[in-house]
mmCIF file of all heavy atoms in Angstrom:
data_model
loop_
_atom_site.group_PDB
_atom_site.id
_atom_site.type_symbol
_atom_site.label_atom_id
_atom_site.label_comp_id
_atom_site.label_asym_id
_atom_site.label_seq_id
_atom_site.Cartn_x
_atom_site.Cartn_y
_atom_site.Cartn_z
ATOM 1 N N TRP A 2085 9.692 -15.812 -22.001
ATOM 2 C CA TRP A 2085 9.658 -14.677 -21.071
ATOM 3 C C TRP A 2085 8.263 -14.072 -21.009
ATOM 4 O O TRP A 2085 7.764 -13.748 -19.925
ATOM 5 C CB TRP A 2085 10.666 -13.612 -21.513
ATOM 6 C CG TRP A 2085 10.532 -12.328 -20.746
ATOM 7 C CD1 TRP A 2085 11.003 -12.080 -19.487
ATOM 8 C CD2 TRP A 2085 9.854 -11.147 -21.166
ATOM 9 N NE1 TRP A 2085 10.662 -10.805 -19.100
ATOM 10 C CE2 TRP A 2085 9.955 -10.202 -20.106
ATOM 11 C CE3 TRP A 2085 9.173 -10.783 -22.325
ATOM 12 C CZ2 TRP A 2085 9.403 -8.934 -20.181
ATOM 13 C CZ3 TRP A 2085 8.622 -9.508 -22.400
ATOM 14 C CH2 TRP A 2085 8.736 -8.597 -21.342
ATOM 15 N N TYR A 2100 9.239 -2.955 -13.504
ATOM 16 C CA TYR A 2100 10.211 -3.078 -14.592
ATOM 17 C C TYR A 2100 11.385 -3.966 -14.204
ATOM 18 O O TYR A 2100 11.784 -4.871 -14.952
ATOM 19 C CB TYR A 2100 10.717 -1.694 -15.008
ATOM 20 C CG TYR A 2100 11.988 -1.755 -15.823
ATOM 21 C CD1 TYR A 2100 11.953 -2.134 -17.162
ATOM 22 C CD2 TYR A 2100 13.232 -1.486 -15.231
ATOM 23 C CE1 TYR A 2100 13.128 -2.224 -17.900
ATOM 24 C CE2 TYR A 2100 14.396 -1.579 -15.963
ATOM 25 C CZ TYR A 2100 14.339 -1.944 -17.299
ATOM 26 O OH TYR A 2100 15.499 -2.054 -18.022
ATOM 27 N N GLY A 2103 10.569 -7.615 -14.261
ATOM 28 C CA GLY A 2103 10.488 -8.153 -15.615
ATOM 29 C C GLY A 2103 11.863 -8.339 -16.229
ATOM 30 O O GLY A 2103 12.116 -9.330 -16.940
ATOM 31 N N ARG A 2104 12.750 -7.393 -15.957
ATOM 32 C CA ARG A 2104 14.112 -7.512 -16.479
ATOM 33 C C ARG A 2104 14.831 -8.717 -15.883
ATOM 34 O O ARG A 2104 15.491 -9.479 -16.601
ATOM 35 C CB ARG A 2104 14.894 -6.229 -16.170
ATOM 36 C CG ARG A 2104 16.282 -6.173 -16.803
ATOM 37 C CD ARG A 2104 16.978 -4.871 -16.431
ATOM 38 N NE ARG A 2104 17.259 -4.815 -15.000
ATOM 39 C CZ ARG A 2104 18.315 -5.400 -14.435
ATOM 40 N NH1 ARG A 2104 19.161 -6.101 -15.170
ATOM 41 N NH2 ARG A 2104 18.498 -5.298 -13.138
ATOM 42 N N GLY A 2107 13.640 -11.860 -17.389
ATOM 43 C CA GLY A 2107 14.221 -12.040 -18.714
ATOM 44 C C GLY A 2107 15.619 -12.614 -18.654
ATOM 45 O O GLY A 2107 15.975 -13.520 -19.423
ATOM 46 N N LEU A 2108 16.428 -12.109 -17.731
ATOM 47 C CA LEU A 2108 17.786 -12.622 -17.596
ATOM 48 C C LEU A 2108 17.773 -14.108 -17.261
ATOM 49 O O LEU A 2108 18.656 -14.859 -17.697
ATOM 50 C CB LEU A 2108 18.535 -11.847 -16.504
ATOM 51 C CG LEU A 2108 18.830 -10.364 -16.801
ATOM 52 C CD1 LEU A 2108 19.469 -9.703 -15.584
ATOM 53 C CD2 LEU A 2108 19.727 -10.230 -18.022
ATOM 54 N N VAL A 2112 16.961 -13.489 -21.985
ATOM 55 C CA VAL A 2112 16.450 -12.376 -22.778
ATOM 56 C C VAL A 2112 16.857 -11.061 -22.130
ATOM 57 O O VAL A 2112 16.573 -10.833 -20.950
ATOM 58 C CB VAL A 2112 14.906 -12.444 -22.912
ATOM 59 C CG1 VAL A 2112 14.391 -11.209 -23.637
ATOM 60 C CG2 VAL A 2112 14.484 -13.691 -23.640
ATOM 61 N N GLN A 2113 17.512 -10.203 -22.903
ATOM 62 C CA GLN A 2113 17.794 -8.843 -22.457
ATOM 63 C C GLN A 2113 16.618 -7.990 -22.936
ATOM 64 O O GLN A 2113 16.572 -7.589 -24.101
ATOM 65 C CB GLN A 2113 19.107 -8.337 -23.058
ATOM 66 C CG GLN A 2113 20.347 -9.062 -22.576
ATOM 67 C CD GLN A 2113 20.824 -8.540 -21.229
ATOM 68 O OE1 GLN A 2113 20.247 -7.588 -20.684
ATOM 69 N NE2 GLN A 2113 21.865 -9.151 -20.682
ATOM 70 N N ILE A 2114 15.668 -7.730 -22.056
ATOM 71 C CA ILE A 2114 14.422 -7.132 -22.521
ATOM 72 C C ILE A 2114 14.619 -5.736 -23.094
ATOM 73 O O ILE A 2114 13.860 -5.308 -23.969
ATOM 74 C CB ILE A 2114 13.354 -7.121 -21.404
ATOM 75 C CG1 ILE A 2114 13.767 -6.236 -20.236
ATOM 76 C CG2 ILE A 2114 13.047 -8.530 -20.946
ATOM 77 C CD1 ILE A 2114 12.650 -5.985 -19.248
ATOM 78 N N ASP A 2115 15.643 -5.008 -22.628
ATOM 79 C CA ASP A 2115 15.883 -3.675 -23.177
ATOM 80 C C ASP A 2115 16.334 -3.742 -24.634
ATOM 81 O O ASP A 2115 16.061 -2.844 -25.426
ATOM 82 C CB ASP A 2115 16.921 -2.935 -22.343
ATOM 83 C CG ASP A 2115 16.378 -2.535 -20.978
ATOM 84 O OD1 ASP A 2115 15.221 -2.109 -20.917
ATOM 85 O OD2 ASP A 2115 17.108 -2.678 -19.984
ATOM 86 N N GLU A 2116 17.034 -4.812 -24.983
ATOM 87 C CA GLU A 2116 17.558 -4.941 -26.338
ATOM 88 C C GLU A 2116 16.474 -5.320 -27.350
ATOM 89 O O GLU A 2116 16.620 -5.036 -28.544
ATOM 90 C CB GLU A 2116 18.688 -5.979 -26.364
ATOM 91 C CG GLU A 2116 19.912 -5.556 -25.557
ATOM 92 C CD GLU A 2116 21.008 -6.608 -25.579
ATOM 93 O OE1 GLU A 2116 20.831 -7.638 -26.282
ATOM 94 O OE2 GLU A 2116 22.042 -6.414 -24.907
ATOM 95 N N ILE A 2117 15.398 -5.964 -26.898
ATOM 96 C CA ILE A 2117 14.353 -6.405 -27.831
ATOM 97 C C ILE A 2117 13.145 -5.482 -27.836
ATOM 98 O O ILE A 2117 12.229 -5.658 -28.630
ATOM 99 C CB ILE A 2117 13.920 -7.851 -27.517
ATOM 100 C CG1 ILE A 2117 13.478 -7.990 -26.030
ATOM 101 C CG2 ILE A 2117 15.036 -8.829 -27.813
ATOM 102 C CD1 ILE A 2117 12.053 -7.767 -25.757
ATOM 103 N N LYS A 2118 13.147 -4.492 -26.968
ATOM 104 C CA LYS A 2118 11.970 -3.631 -26.823
ATOM 105 C C LYS A 2118 11.624 -2.909 -28.118
ATOM 106 O O LYS A 2118 10.475 -2.901 -28.566
ATOM 107 C CB LYS A 2118 12.208 -2.616 -25.701
ATOM 108 C CG LYS A 2118 11.065 -1.615 -25.488
ATOM 109 C CD LYS A 2118 11.368 -0.716 -24.292
ATOM 110 C CE LYS A 2118 10.224 0.252 -24.015
ATOM 111 N NZ LYS A 2118 10.155 1.333 -24.997
ATOM 112 N N GLN A 2119 12.604 -2.275 -28.738
ATOM 113 C CA GLN A 2119 12.347 -1.442 -29.910
ATOM 114 C C GLN A 2119 11.851 -2.267 -31.095
ATOM 115 O O GLN A 2119 10.913 -1.872 -31.795
ATOM 116 C CB GLN A 2119 13.625 -0.687 -30.294
ATOM 117 C CG GLN A 2119 13.414 0.423 -31.316
ATOM 118 C CD GLN A 2119 12.558 1.560 -30.784
ATOM 119 O OE1 GLN A 2119 12.607 1.869 -29.595
ATOM 120 N NE2 GLN A 2119 11.752 2.146 -31.646
ATOM 121 N N TRP A 2124 6.679 -5.054 -25.176
ATOM 122 C CA TRP A 2124 6.440 -4.402 -23.881
ATOM 123 C C TRP A 2124 6.710 -2.907 -24.019
ATOM 124 O O TRP A 2124 7.430 -2.464 -24.907
ATOM 125 C CB TRP A 2124 7.288 -5.009 -22.768
ATOM 126 C CG TRP A 2124 8.777 -4.787 -22.864
ATOM 127 C CD1 TRP A 2124 9.676 -5.524 -23.571
ATOM 128 C CD2 TRP A 2124 9.531 -3.750 -22.232
ATOM 129 N NE1 TRP A 2124 10.949 -5.023 -23.421
ATOM 130 C CE2 TRP A 2124 10.889 -3.928 -22.601
ATOM 131 C CE3 TRP A 2124 9.203 -2.698 -21.382
ATOM 132 C CZ2 TRP A 2124 11.911 -3.107 -22.156
ATOM 133 C CZ3 TRP A 2124 10.219 -1.858 -20.941
ATOM 134 C CH2 TRP A 2124 11.549 -2.069 -21.319
ATOM 135 N N LEU A 2131 6.536 -1.970 -16.263
ATOM 136 C CA LEU A 2131 6.663 -2.625 -17.546
ATOM 137 C C LEU A 2131 5.268 -3.081 -17.966
ATOM 138 O O LEU A 2131 4.576 -3.749 -17.202
ATOM 139 C CB LEU A 2131 7.619 -3.815 -17.415
ATOM 140 C CG LEU A 2131 7.958 -4.633 -18.649
ATOM 141 C CD1 LEU A 2131 9.334 -5.274 -18.465
ATOM 142 C CD2 LEU A 2131 6.941 -5.749 -18.884
#
Side-chain angles (χ1 to χ4, degrees):
W2085 171 79
Y2100 163 76
R2104 186 180 66 82
L2108 293 175
V2112 175
Q2113 294 278 357
I2114 64 169
D2115 289 319
E2116 295 179 3
I2117 55 91
K2118 178 176 182 286
Q2119 192 66 33
W2124 68 275
L2131 182 153

